[in-house]
Amino acid sequence: MTLPRASARLPSKALPTAAILQAHGDCFILLTEVSSWTQSGSAITTTTTLTISTFTVTQTGNVRLEIRKLSGGTNRINIDDITVNDNGGGGTGGGTVLTGKKFLFDASHLENAGSADWQIDADGTEQVAIYTGGTTTETKAQRVPTPSYTGITSSTTETYWKGALSAWAVELVKRGELVESLPVGTAITYGGGGAQDLSNYDVFVVCEPNRLFTAAEKTALMNFVANGGGLFMIADHTAATTAGTDANGYNPSDRDGDGYDSPRVWNDLMTNNGINNNNPFGFFVNYVDINESPSTNVYTGSNADAQKVLNGAAGTASKMAFYDGSTATLFPANNSTVQGLFWRNSATNGGNANAMALLATYGSGRVVWIGDSSDADDGTGDTGDNLFNGWSGDAPSGYTSHSSFHLNASFWLAKAQ
Ligand SMILES: [Ca+2]
Ligand SMILES: [Ca+2]
Ligand SMILES: [Ca+2]
Ligand SMILES: [Ca+2]
Protein backbone atom coordinates (compact mmCIF):
# COMPACT_ATOMS: atom_id res chain seq x y z
CA MET A 1 0.00 0.00 0.00
CA THR A 2 0.99 3.60 -0.28
CA LEU A 3 0.90 5.76 2.78
CA PRO A 4 -0.29 9.31 2.21
CA ARG A 5 2.28 10.60 4.64
CA ALA A 6 4.81 9.21 7.02
CA SER A 7 2.14 9.19 9.67
CA ALA A 8 -1.61 8.91 9.68
CA ARG A 9 -4.20 10.05 12.18
CA LEU A 10 -6.52 7.45 13.60
CA PRO A 11 -10.08 7.92 14.73
CA SER A 12 -10.57 9.00 18.31
CA LYS A 13 -12.00 5.63 19.32
CA ALA A 14 -8.74 3.98 18.54
CA LEU A 15 -7.01 1.76 21.00
CA PRO A 16 -5.30 0.23 18.04
CA THR A 17 -3.16 -2.67 17.20
CA ALA A 18 -1.12 -2.10 14.10
CA ALA A 19 0.08 -4.97 11.96
CA ILE A 20 2.81 -4.09 9.48
CA LEU A 21 3.91 -6.47 6.78
CA GLN A 22 7.43 -5.63 5.69
CA ALA A 23 10.46 -6.99 3.97
CA HIS A 24 13.87 -6.31 2.59
CA GLY A 25 15.59 -3.72 4.61
CA ASP A 26 16.96 -3.04 7.97
CA CYS A 27 15.69 -1.97 11.33
CA PHE A 28 12.60 0.09 12.11
CA ILE A 29 10.37 0.95 15.03
CA LEU A 30 6.73 1.96 15.36
CA LEU A 31 6.06 5.12 17.34
CA THR A 32 2.78 6.62 18.46
CA GLU A 33 2.02 10.17 19.35
CA VAL A 34 -0.65 11.67 21.54
CA SER A 35 1.32 14.54 23.00
CA SER A 36 4.83 13.21 22.38
CA TRP A 37 6.26 10.34 20.35
CA THR A 38 6.49 7.01 22.17
CA GLN A 39 7.86 3.74 20.86
CA SER A 40 5.43 0.82 20.81
CA GLY A 41 6.80 -2.67 21.15
CA SER A 42 10.27 -3.68 20.06
CA ALA A 43 12.46 -2.63 17.15
CA ILE A 44 12.02 -4.90 14.13
CA THR A 45 14.90 -6.15 12.01
CA THR A 46 13.51 -6.99 8.60
CA THR A 47 14.55 -9.88 6.39
CA THR A 48 14.19 -10.57 2.69
CA THR A 49 10.85 -12.30 3.31
CA LEU A 50 7.62 -10.41 3.86
CA THR A 51 6.90 -10.83 7.56
CA ILE A 52 4.03 -9.64 9.72
CA SER A 53 4.88 -7.57 12.78
CA THR A 54 2.08 -6.77 15.22
CA PHE A 55 2.21 -3.90 17.69
CA THR A 56 -0.20 -3.49 20.57
CA VAL A 57 -0.74 0.19 21.24
CA THR A 58 -2.03 1.21 24.65
CA GLN A 59 -3.13 4.73 23.77
CA THR A 60 -6.58 6.23 23.89
CA GLY A 61 -7.91 9.16 21.91
CA ASN A 62 -6.43 10.43 18.66
CA VAL A 63 -3.18 8.66 17.85
CA ARG A 64 -0.66 9.20 15.08
CA LEU A 65 1.61 6.41 13.90
CA GLU A 66 5.12 6.84 12.59
CA ILE A 67 7.38 4.18 11.16
CA ARG A 68 10.95 5.28 11.78
CA LYS A 69 13.82 3.63 9.96
CA LEU A 70 16.83 3.23 12.22
CA SER A 71 19.57 1.74 10.08
CA GLY A 72 20.60 0.74 6.60
CA GLY A 73 21.30 4.14 5.11
CA THR A 74 19.40 4.56 1.87
CA ASN A 75 18.37 0.90 1.67
CA ARG A 76 14.67 0.48 1.09
CA ILE A 77 12.17 -1.11 3.47
CA ASN A 78 9.35 -2.68 1.49
CA ILE A 79 6.07 -2.27 3.38
CA ASP A 80 3.33 -4.25 1.70
CA ASP A 81 0.40 -3.54 3.94
CA ILE A 82 -0.62 -1.91 7.20
CA THR A 83 -3.71 -2.92 9.16
CA VAL A 84 -5.04 -0.98 12.12
CA ASN A 85 -7.71 -2.32 14.45
CA ASP A 86 -9.35 -1.48 17.71
CA ASN A 87 -7.61 -3.31 20.49
CA GLY A 88 -10.86 -4.75 21.69
CA GLY A 89 -9.63 -8.15 22.75
CA GLY A 90 -12.16 -10.79 21.87
CA GLY A 91 -11.42 -14.10 23.50
CA THR A 92 -14.78 -14.54 25.13
CA GLY A 93 -17.37 -13.60 22.56
CA GLY A 94 -17.57 -10.60 20.32
CA GLY A 95 -14.51 -8.47 19.89
CA THR A 96 -12.85 -7.39 16.72
CA VAL A 97 -10.68 -9.22 14.24
CA LEU A 98 -7.63 -8.00 12.40
CA THR A 99 -8.45 -7.41 8.75
CA GLY A 100 -6.37 -8.00 5.65
CA LYS A 101 -5.47 -11.61 6.43
CA LYS A 102 -4.96 -13.77 3.36
CA PHE A 103 -6.72 -17.12 3.06
CA LEU A 104 -5.84 -19.65 0.37
CA PHE A 105 -8.37 -22.43 -0.30
CA ASP A 106 -6.85 -25.53 -1.86
CA ALA A 107 -8.41 -26.71 -5.12
CA SER A 108 -5.40 -28.70 -6.29
CA HIS A 109 -6.17 -32.10 -4.71
CA LEU A 110 -9.49 -33.04 -6.31
CA GLU A 111 -11.64 -31.24 -3.77
CA ASN A 112 -14.22 -31.17 -6.59
CA ALA A 113 -14.28 -34.93 -7.30
CA GLY A 114 -17.64 -36.69 -7.43
CA SER A 115 -20.43 -35.08 -5.42
CA ALA A 116 -17.96 -32.92 -3.46
CA ASP A 117 -17.58 -29.27 -4.40
CA TRP A 118 -15.21 -27.89 -1.77
CA GLN A 119 -14.35 -24.71 -3.64
CA ILE A 120 -15.02 -21.01 -3.02
CA ASP A 121 -15.61 -20.14 -6.68
CA ALA A 122 -15.26 -22.10 -9.92
CA ASP A 123 -15.62 -20.53 -13.35
CA GLY A 124 -14.34 -23.42 -15.47
CA THR A 125 -14.90 -27.14 -15.87
CA GLU A 126 -12.65 -30.19 -16.14
CA GLN A 127 -12.91 -33.96 -16.37
CA VAL A 128 -12.22 -35.63 -13.02
CA ALA A 129 -11.87 -39.35 -12.27
CA ILE A 130 -14.79 -40.96 -10.43
CA TYR A 131 -14.56 -44.03 -8.18
CA THR A 132 -16.97 -46.00 -10.35
CA GLY A 133 -14.59 -45.63 -13.30
CA GLY A 134 -14.19 -43.08 -16.07
CA THR A 135 -14.62 -39.39 -15.45
CA THR A 136 -17.28 -36.81 -14.72
CA THR A 137 -17.44 -33.14 -15.62
CA GLU A 138 -16.72 -31.03 -12.54
CA THR A 139 -16.48 -27.30 -11.99
CA LYS A 140 -12.90 -26.03 -11.72
CA ALA A 141 -11.69 -23.25 -9.45
CA GLN A 142 -9.44 -20.43 -10.64
CA ARG A 143 -7.08 -18.41 -8.48
CA VAL A 144 -9.13 -15.25 -8.06
CA PRO A 145 -12.87 -15.52 -7.42
CA THR A 146 -15.19 -13.63 -9.75
CA PRO A 147 -16.94 -11.21 -9.57
CA SER A 148 -14.39 -9.21 -7.60
CA TYR A 149 -14.51 -9.31 -3.83
CA THR A 150 -14.74 -5.52 -3.97
CA GLY A 151 -18.41 -5.89 -4.86
CA ILE A 152 -19.25 -7.71 -1.63
CA THR A 153 -21.30 -5.77 0.90
CA SER A 154 -22.90 -6.78 4.18
CA SER A 155 -25.99 -7.92 2.29
CA THR A 156 -24.23 -9.98 -0.41
CA THR A 157 -25.46 -13.58 -0.52
CA GLU A 158 -23.24 -16.64 -0.77
CA THR A 159 -24.32 -17.30 -4.37
CA TYR A 160 -22.18 -14.28 -5.37
CA TRP A 161 -19.55 -16.98 -5.93
CA LYS A 162 -20.08 -20.54 -7.16
CA GLY A 163 -18.89 -23.31 -4.91
CA ALA A 164 -20.03 -25.19 -1.85
CA LEU A 165 -17.57 -23.15 0.26
CA SER A 166 -18.64 -19.77 -1.14
CA ALA A 167 -20.54 -18.83 2.04
CA TRP A 168 -17.37 -19.27 4.11
CA ALA A 169 -15.31 -17.16 1.69
CA VAL A 170 -17.92 -14.41 1.36
CA GLU A 171 -18.20 -14.16 5.15
CA LEU A 172 -14.42 -13.78 5.43
CA VAL A 173 -14.50 -10.96 2.87
CA LYS A 174 -17.33 -9.26 4.74
CA ARG A 175 -14.97 -9.14 7.72
CA GLY A 176 -12.15 -7.60 5.71
CA GLU A 177 -10.14 -10.71 4.86
CA LEU A 178 -8.84 -11.74 1.43
CA VAL A 179 -9.49 -15.12 -0.23
CA GLU A 180 -8.03 -17.00 -3.20
CA SER A 181 -7.99 -20.56 -4.54
CA LEU A 182 -4.98 -22.71 -5.37
CA PRO A 183 -6.01 -24.12 -8.76
CA VAL A 184 -5.49 -27.68 -9.90
CA GLY A 185 -2.07 -28.09 -11.49
CA THR A 186 -0.40 -25.65 -9.09
CA ALA A 187 1.93 -27.26 -6.56
CA ILE A 188 1.85 -26.32 -2.89
CA THR A 189 5.15 -24.59 -2.11
CA TYR A 190 6.61 -22.66 0.80
CA GLY A 191 9.58 -20.38 0.28
CA GLY A 192 9.59 -21.01 -3.45
CA GLY A 193 8.95 -17.44 -4.48
CA GLY A 194 5.94 -18.16 -6.67
CA ALA A 195 2.90 -15.92 -6.77
CA GLN A 196 0.88 -18.43 -4.76
CA ASP A 197 3.65 -19.61 -2.48
CA LEU A 198 2.25 -20.25 1.00
CA SER A 199 4.53 -17.52 2.39
CA ASN A 200 2.12 -15.07 0.73
CA TYR A 201 -0.82 -16.27 2.85
CA ASP A 202 -1.80 -16.43 6.52
CA VAL A 203 -4.06 -19.48 6.35
CA PHE A 204 -4.26 -22.48 4.02
CA VAL A 205 -7.69 -24.15 4.02
CA VAL A 206 -7.81 -27.71 2.71
CA CYS A 207 -11.30 -29.20 2.70
CA GLU A 208 -11.31 -32.91 2.02
CA PRO A 209 -8.21 -33.46 -0.14
CA ASN A 210 -8.68 -36.55 -2.28
CA ARG A 211 -5.11 -37.05 -3.48
CA LEU A 212 -1.95 -37.46 -1.41
CA PHE A 213 0.33 -34.47 -1.03
CA THR A 214 3.68 -34.96 -2.77
CA ALA A 215 6.82 -35.21 -0.63
CA ALA A 216 7.72 -31.64 -1.53
CA GLU A 217 4.20 -30.46 -0.68
CA LYS A 218 4.35 -32.15 2.72
CA THR A 219 7.65 -30.41 3.44
CA ALA A 220 6.07 -27.13 2.39
CA LEU A 221 3.01 -27.65 4.62
CA MET A 222 5.05 -28.58 7.70
CA ASN A 223 7.41 -25.63 7.27
CA PHE A 224 4.53 -23.25 6.59
CA VAL A 225 2.91 -24.16 9.91
CA ALA A 226 6.19 -24.32 11.83
CA ASN A 227 6.99 -20.80 10.67
CA GLY A 228 3.68 -19.30 11.73
CA GLY A 229 1.08 -20.29 9.14
CA GLY A 230 -2.42 -21.53 9.86
CA LEU A 231 -3.63 -24.84 8.41
CA PHE A 232 -7.35 -25.66 8.37
CA MET A 233 -7.61 -29.44 7.97
CA ILE A 234 -11.01 -30.88 7.03
CA ALA A 235 -11.66 -34.59 6.61
CA ASP A 236 -14.69 -36.73 5.80
CA HIS A 237 -15.97 -40.21 6.53
CA THR A 238 -14.16 -43.39 5.62
CA ALA A 239 -13.83 -47.08 6.46
CA ALA A 240 -11.14 -49.52 7.50
CA THR A 241 -10.23 -49.92 3.85
CA THR A 242 -11.18 -47.82 0.85
CA ALA A 243 -12.38 -50.93 -0.97
CA GLY A 244 -16.08 -51.75 -0.65
CA THR A 245 -18.55 -50.07 1.67
CA ASP A 246 -18.27 -48.86 5.23
CA ALA A 247 -20.34 -49.68 8.30
CA ASN A 248 -23.12 -47.35 7.16
CA GLY A 249 -23.26 -48.83 3.68
CA TYR A 250 -21.53 -45.89 2.06
CA ASN A 251 -18.53 -45.91 -0.16
CA PRO A 252 -15.55 -44.38 1.67
CA SER A 253 -14.92 -40.81 0.56
CA ASP A 254 -12.24 -41.78 -1.96
CA ARG A 255 -14.25 -39.97 -4.59
CA ASP A 256 -11.80 -40.44 -7.45
CA GLY A 257 -11.03 -44.06 -6.62
CA ASP A 258 -7.24 -43.75 -6.31
CA GLY A 259 -7.17 -45.55 -2.95
CA TYR A 260 -6.86 -42.44 -0.79
CA ASP A 261 -9.51 -40.36 0.92
CA SER A 262 -9.11 -37.35 3.16
CA PRO A 263 -8.49 -39.22 6.46
CA ARG A 264 -5.68 -41.10 4.73
CA VAL A 265 -4.31 -37.96 3.09
CA TRP A 266 -4.13 -36.20 6.48
CA ASN A 267 -2.58 -39.21 8.22
CA ASP A 268 -0.02 -39.48 5.44
CA LEU A 269 0.93 -35.85 6.08
CA MET A 270 1.26 -36.49 9.81
CA THR A 271 3.16 -39.79 9.64
CA ASN A 272 5.15 -39.54 6.42
CA ASN A 273 6.37 -35.97 5.98
CA GLY A 274 10.09 -36.52 6.51
CA ILE A 275 10.32 -33.82 9.19
CA ASN A 276 8.32 -35.30 12.06
CA ASN A 277 6.51 -38.54 11.28
CA ASN A 278 5.14 -39.05 14.79
CA ASN A 279 1.77 -37.25 14.59
CA PRO A 280 3.37 -33.87 15.28
CA PHE A 281 0.05 -32.07 15.64
CA GLY A 282 -0.91 -34.48 18.44
CA PHE A 283 -3.66 -36.49 16.76
CA PHE A 284 -4.48 -39.19 14.23
CA VAL A 285 -7.61 -39.55 12.09
CA ASN A 286 -9.65 -42.71 12.70
CA TYR A 287 -10.97 -44.73 9.76
CA VAL A 288 -14.65 -44.57 10.73
CA ASP A 289 -18.01 -43.19 9.55
CA ILE A 290 -20.07 -41.56 12.30
CA ASN A 291 -23.18 -39.40 12.57
CA GLU A 292 -24.09 -36.98 15.36
CA SER A 293 -27.25 -34.89 15.31
CA PRO A 294 -25.73 -32.77 16.81
CA SER A 295 -23.05 -33.15 19.48
CA THR A 296 -23.29 -30.75 22.42
CA ASN A 297 -20.23 -32.38 23.99
CA VAL A 298 -18.17 -29.22 23.65
CA TYR A 299 -15.00 -28.20 25.47
CA THR A 300 -15.78 -26.16 28.58
CA GLY A 301 -12.31 -25.54 30.03
CA SER A 302 -10.20 -22.40 30.15
CA ASN A 303 -7.77 -23.02 27.26
CA ALA A 304 -7.54 -19.51 25.77
CA ASP A 305 -7.08 -20.71 22.19
CA ALA A 306 -10.10 -22.98 22.45
CA GLN A 307 -12.17 -20.14 23.83
CA LYS A 308 -11.34 -18.00 20.79
CA VAL A 309 -12.52 -20.76 18.44
CA LEU A 310 -15.63 -21.66 20.42
CA ASN A 311 -16.64 -18.19 21.55
CA GLY A 312 -15.08 -15.65 19.21
CA ALA A 313 -16.15 -12.73 17.07
CA ALA A 314 -18.40 -14.92 14.89
CA GLY A 315 -20.41 -16.11 17.85
CA THR A 316 -20.64 -19.20 20.01
CA ALA A 317 -19.98 -22.66 18.59
CA SER A 318 -21.84 -25.01 20.90
CA LYS A 319 -23.36 -27.63 18.59
CA MET A 320 -21.64 -29.71 15.91
CA ALA A 321 -23.52 -32.18 13.74
CA PHE A 322 -21.76 -34.81 11.61
CA TYR A 323 -23.33 -36.23 8.47
CA ASP A 324 -20.99 -39.17 7.90
CA GLY A 325 -17.69 -37.96 9.27
CA SER A 326 -14.57 -39.27 10.94
CA THR A 327 -13.16 -38.84 14.44
CA ALA A 328 -9.67 -38.26 15.77
CA THR A 329 -7.67 -39.76 18.61
CA LEU A 330 -5.56 -37.24 20.51
CA PHE A 331 -1.93 -37.88 21.46
CA PRO A 332 -0.97 -35.11 23.91
CA ALA A 333 2.35 -36.85 24.48
CA ASN A 334 3.23 -36.04 20.87
CA ASN A 335 2.07 -32.42 21.06
CA SER A 336 0.98 -31.08 24.42
CA THR A 337 -0.95 -28.22 22.80
CA VAL A 338 -3.54 -30.46 21.14
CA GLN A 339 -6.98 -29.57 22.48
CA GLY A 340 -10.24 -31.31 21.68
CA LEU A 341 -13.08 -28.89 20.91
CA PHE A 342 -16.00 -31.27 20.28
CA TRP A 343 -16.39 -34.96 21.04
CA ARG A 344 -19.08 -37.49 20.21
CA ASN A 345 -21.99 -37.25 22.64
CA SER A 346 -21.05 -40.70 23.93
CA ALA A 347 -17.40 -39.78 24.54
CA THR A 348 -15.70 -38.41 27.64
CA ASN A 349 -15.55 -34.62 27.60
CA GLY A 350 -11.91 -33.62 27.62
CA GLY A 351 -10.72 -37.12 26.74
CA ASN A 352 -8.44 -38.30 23.98
CA ALA A 353 -10.95 -40.54 22.16
CA ASN A 354 -13.62 -39.72 19.56
CA ALA A 355 -12.84 -36.04 19.03
CA MET A 356 -14.85 -34.41 16.23
CA ALA A 357 -12.82 -31.19 16.10
CA LEU A 358 -9.59 -29.99 17.68
CA LEU A 359 -6.82 -27.42 17.56
CA ALA A 360 -3.07 -27.47 18.14
CA THR A 361 -0.06 -25.25 17.75
CA TYR A 362 3.13 -26.40 16.06
CA GLY A 363 6.22 -24.23 16.01
CA SER A 364 4.85 -20.72 15.71
CA GLY A 365 1.87 -21.85 13.61
CA ARG A 366 -1.55 -23.27 14.25
CA VAL A 367 -3.79 -26.08 13.01
CA VAL A 368 -7.51 -26.80 13.32
CA TRP A 369 -9.02 -30.14 12.30
CA ILE A 370 -12.67 -31.15 11.84
CA GLY A 371 -13.82 -34.60 10.74
CA ASP A 372 -16.68 -33.71 8.40
CA SER A 373 -16.70 -31.57 5.26
CA SER A 374 -20.49 -31.31 5.31
CA ASP A 375 -20.41 -28.70 8.05
CA ALA A 376 -18.79 -26.19 5.66
CA ASP A 377 -21.15 -27.07 2.78
CA ASP A 378 -23.40 -24.10 1.99
CA GLY A 379 -25.69 -26.16 -0.23
CA THR A 380 -25.08 -24.37 -3.54
CA GLY A 381 -22.36 -24.75 -6.13
CA ASP A 382 -21.88 -27.26 -8.93
CA THR A 383 -25.43 -28.10 -10.02
CA GLY A 384 -24.23 -31.60 -10.89
CA ASP A 385 -23.42 -32.34 -7.25
CA ASN A 386 -25.64 -33.32 -4.32
CA LEU A 387 -25.01 -30.45 -1.92
CA PHE A 388 -26.69 -29.87 1.45
CA ASN A 389 -26.56 -26.75 3.56
CA GLY A 390 -24.68 -27.75 6.69
CA TRP A 391 -23.20 -24.24 7.02
CA SER A 392 -26.39 -22.57 8.19
CA GLY A 393 -29.34 -24.45 6.81
CA ASP A 394 -30.27 -27.02 9.39
CA ALA A 395 -33.76 -26.87 10.83
CA PRO A 396 -34.80 -25.81 13.34
CA SER A 397 -32.82 -22.61 13.50
CA GLY A 398 -29.99 -22.94 15.97
CA TYR A 399 -29.72 -26.68 15.45
CA THR A 400 -25.99 -26.25 14.82
CA SER A 401 -23.41 -23.47 14.96
CA HIS A 402 -21.13 -24.50 12.12
CA SER A 403 -20.54 -21.06 10.61
CA SER A 404 -19.46 -19.71 13.99
CA PHE A 405 -17.03 -22.57 14.39
CA HIS A 406 -15.45 -22.24 10.94
CA LEU A 407 -15.18 -18.45 11.05
CA ASN A 408 -13.82 -18.28 14.58
CA ALA A 409 -11.33 -21.01 13.72
CA SER A 410 -10.34 -19.06 10.61
CA PHE A 411 -9.66 -15.94 12.66
CA TRP A 412 -7.67 -17.91 15.24
CA LEU A 413 -5.59 -19.62 12.56
CA ALA A 414 -4.86 -16.23 10.99
CA LYS A 415 -3.93 -14.77 14.37
CA ALA A 416 -6.62 -12.22 13.64
CA GLN A 417 -8.28 -12.75 17.00
CA1 LIG B 1 -18.08 -32.25 -7.71
CA1 LIG C 1 -8.81 -40.10 -3.67
CA1 LIG D 1 -19.60 -36.09 5.41
CA1 LIG E 1 -22.24 -21.82 -2.51
Side-chain angles (χ1 to χ4, degrees), residues 47 62 97 123 129 223 234 264 327 352 354:
T47 69
N62 289 330
V97 294
D123 290 353
N223 287 334
I234 301 178
R264 287 171 172 80
T327 61
N352 294 330
N354 291 308

PDB file of all heavy atoms in Angstrom, residues 47 62 97 123 129 223 234 264 327 352 354:
ATOM      1  N   THR A  47      13.804  -8.880   7.151  1.00  0.00           N
ATOM      2  CA  THR A  47      14.548  -9.879   6.391  1.00  0.00           C
ATOM      3  C   THR A  47      14.151  -9.735   4.931  1.00  0.00           C
ATOM      4  O   THR A  47      13.452  -8.787   4.556  1.00  0.00           O
ATOM      5  CB  THR A  47      14.202 -11.298   6.875  1.00  0.00           C
ATOM      6  OG1 THR A  47      12.842 -11.584   6.498  1.00  0.00           O
ATOM      7  CG2 THR A  47      14.359 -11.404   8.375  1.00  0.00           C
ATOM      8  N   ASN A  62      -7.069  10.321  19.960  1.00  0.00           N
ATOM      9  CA  ASN A  62      -6.430  10.427  18.661  1.00  0.00           C
ATOM     10  C   ASN A  62      -4.966  10.017  18.762  1.00  0.00           C
ATOM     11  O   ASN A  62      -4.247  10.453  19.657  1.00  0.00           O
ATOM     12  CB  ASN A  62      -6.510  11.864  18.144  1.00  0.00           C
ATOM     13  CG  ASN A  62      -7.923  12.222  17.734  1.00  0.00           C
ATOM     14  OD1 ASN A  62      -8.681  11.352  17.303  1.00  0.00           O
ATOM     15  ND2 ASN A  62      -8.278  13.487  17.864  1.00  0.00           N
ATOM     16  N   VAL A  97     -11.690  -8.391  14.879  1.00  0.00           N
ATOM     17  CA  VAL A  97     -10.680  -9.220  14.239  1.00  0.00           C
ATOM     18  C   VAL A  97      -9.794  -8.332  13.379  1.00  0.00           C
ATOM     19  O   VAL A  97     -10.256  -7.339  12.821  1.00  0.00           O
ATOM     20  CB  VAL A  97     -11.315 -10.327  13.370  1.00  0.00           C
ATOM     21  CG1 VAL A  97     -12.071 -11.310  14.227  1.00  0.00           C
ATOM     22  CG2 VAL A  97     -12.223  -9.737  12.316  1.00  0.00           C
ATOM     23  N   ASP A 123     -15.096 -21.036 -12.077  1.00  0.00           N
ATOM     24  CA  ASP A 123     -15.616 -20.528 -13.353  1.00  0.00           C
ATOM     25  C   ASP A 123     -15.533 -21.560 -14.475  1.00  0.00           C
ATOM     26  O   ASP A 123     -16.289 -21.494 -15.433  1.00  0.00           O
ATOM     27  CB  ASP A 123     -14.815 -19.293 -13.790  1.00  0.00           C
ATOM     28  CG  ASP A 123     -15.101 -18.081 -12.903  1.00  0.00           C
ATOM     29  OD1 ASP A 123     -16.005 -18.164 -12.048  1.00  0.00           O
ATOM     30  OD2 ASP A 123     -14.409 -17.062 -13.074  1.00  0.00           O
ATOM     31  N   ALA A 129     -11.614 -37.924 -12.468  1.00  0.00           N
ATOM     32  CA  ALA A 129     -11.868 -39.347 -12.267  1.00  0.00           C
ATOM     33  C   ALA A 129     -12.930 -39.559 -11.202  1.00  0.00           C
ATOM     34  O   ALA A 129     -13.033 -38.806 -10.231  1.00  0.00           O
ATOM     35  CB  ALA A 129     -10.570 -40.035 -11.853  1.00  0.00           C
ATOM     36  N   ASN A 223       6.611 -26.841   7.038  1.00  0.00           N
ATOM     37  CA  ASN A 223       7.412 -25.633   7.266  1.00  0.00           C
ATOM     38  C   ASN A 223       6.530 -24.385   7.341  1.00  0.00           C
ATOM     39  O   ASN A 223       6.817 -23.462   8.102  1.00  0.00           O
ATOM     40  CB  ASN A 223       8.471 -25.482   6.172  1.00  0.00           C
ATOM     41  CG  ASN A 223       9.585 -26.497   6.329  1.00  0.00           C
ATOM     42  OD1 ASN A 223       9.843 -26.975   7.439  1.00  0.00           O
ATOM     43  ND2 ASN A 223      10.234 -26.839   5.230  1.00  0.00           N
ATOM     44  N   ILE A 234      -9.657 -30.325   6.997  1.00  0.00           N
ATOM     45  CA  ILE A 234     -11.008 -30.881   7.034  1.00  0.00           C
ATOM     46  C   ILE A 234     -10.981 -32.267   6.404  1.00  0.00           C
ATOM     47  O   ILE A 234     -10.417 -32.457   5.320  1.00  0.00           O
ATOM     48  CB  ILE A 234     -12.007 -29.971   6.295  1.00  0.00           C
ATOM     49  CG1 ILE A 234     -12.007 -28.580   6.943  1.00  0.00           C
ATOM     50  CG2 ILE A 234     -13.406 -30.583   6.307  1.00  0.00           C
ATOM     51  CD1 ILE A 234     -12.926 -27.587   6.272  1.00  0.00           C
ATOM     52  N   ARG A 264      -6.985 -40.524   5.081  1.00  0.00           N
ATOM     53  CA  ARG A 264      -5.683 -41.104   4.734  1.00  0.00           C
ATOM     54  C   ARG A 264      -4.702 -40.041   4.247  1.00  0.00           C
ATOM     55  O   ARG A 264      -3.495 -40.132   4.496  1.00  0.00           O
ATOM     56  CB  ARG A 264      -5.874 -42.217   3.695  1.00  0.00           C
ATOM     57  CG  ARG A 264      -6.493 -43.457   4.322  1.00  0.00           C
ATOM     58  CD  ARG A 264      -6.912 -44.514   3.321  1.00  0.00           C
ATOM     59  NE  ARG A 264      -7.308 -45.741   4.023  1.00  0.00           N
ATOM     60  CZ  ARG A 264      -8.503 -45.931   4.597  1.00  0.00           C
ATOM     61  NH1 ARG A 264      -9.432 -44.987   4.525  1.00  0.00           N
ATOM     62  NH2 ARG A 264      -8.776 -47.056   5.236  1.00  0.00           N
ATOM     63  N   THR A 327     -13.600 -39.365  13.147  1.00  0.00           N
ATOM     64  CA  THR A 327     -13.165 -38.843  14.438  1.00  0.00           C
ATOM     65  C   THR A 327     -11.641 -38.866  14.500  1.00  0.00           C
ATOM     66  O   THR A 327     -10.978 -39.435  13.633  1.00  0.00           O
ATOM     67  CB  THR A 327     -13.720 -39.694  15.592  1.00  0.00           C
ATOM     68  OG1 THR A 327     -13.222 -41.038  15.453  1.00  0.00           O
ATOM     69  CG2 THR A 327     -15.252 -39.685  15.598  1.00  0.00           C
ATOM     70  N   ASN A 352      -9.254 -38.197  25.193  1.00  0.00           N
ATOM     71  CA  ASN A 352      -8.443 -38.295  23.977  1.00  0.00           C
ATOM     72  C   ASN A 352      -9.134 -39.080  22.868  1.00  0.00           C
ATOM     73  O   ASN A 352      -8.636 -39.121  21.745  1.00  0.00           O
ATOM     74  CB  ASN A 352      -7.100 -38.949  24.295  1.00  0.00           C
ATOM     75  CG  ASN A 352      -6.249 -38.087  25.207  1.00  0.00           C
ATOM     76  OD1 ASN A 352      -6.352 -36.857  25.182  1.00  0.00           O
ATOM     77  ND2 ASN A 352      -5.425 -38.723  26.028  1.00  0.00           N
ATOM     78  N   ASN A 354     -12.385 -40.140  20.252  1.00  0.00           N
ATOM     79  CA  ASN A 354     -13.617 -39.720  19.562  1.00  0.00           C
ATOM     80  C   ASN A 354     -13.811 -38.209  19.516  1.00  0.00           C
ATOM     81  O   ASN A 354     -14.916 -37.704  19.700  1.00  0.00           O
ATOM     82  CB  ASN A 354     -14.841 -40.381  20.201  1.00  0.00           C
ATOM     83  CG  ASN A 354     -14.872 -41.871  19.928  1.00  0.00           C
ATOM     84  OD1 ASN A 354     -14.776 -42.288  18.778  1.00  0.00           O
ATOM     85  ND2 ASN A 354     -14.981 -42.673  20.978  1.00  0.00           N
TER      86      ASN A 354
END
